[in-house]
Amino acid sequence: MTITIDTTRCIGCGMCAYAAPQVFRVVGKYSTVISQPEGRRDPKVSNAENGCPVNAISVTR
């Protein structure tokens, strides 16, 4: 699984960091991926992706 964040869309609201703090962190004005989960899809990452208000998170398998 590879997680990316489109910083042209990200508004730094922190929802992703709240949903999956082991994967996301807000640094400055944007969210960043601090670790790429290995193995199968993490439901917390799915919650962050689905809950992003500007659809800035992309998860590929």
Side-chain angles (χ1 to χ4, degrees):
M1 164 182 346
T2 302
I3 304 166
T4 56
I5 298 175
D6 182 348
T7 56
T8 63
R9 299 180 108 181
C10 181
I11 58 173
C13 72
M15 192 287 312
C16 56
Y18 178 78
Q22 72 281 12
V23 177
F24 302 98
R25 180 172 295 143
V26 176
V27 177
K29 295 181 181 180
Y30 307 107
S31 181
T32 59
V33 177
I34 56 173
S35 70
Q36 295 284 344
E38 295 191 22
R40 53 186 214 166
R41 191 169 175 112
D42 184 340
K44 291 180 181 181
V45 172
S46 294
N47 289 341
E49 178 185 25
N50 293 331
C52 180
V54 293
N55 296 316
I57 300 170
S58 176
V59 180
T60 56
R61 292 168 197 84

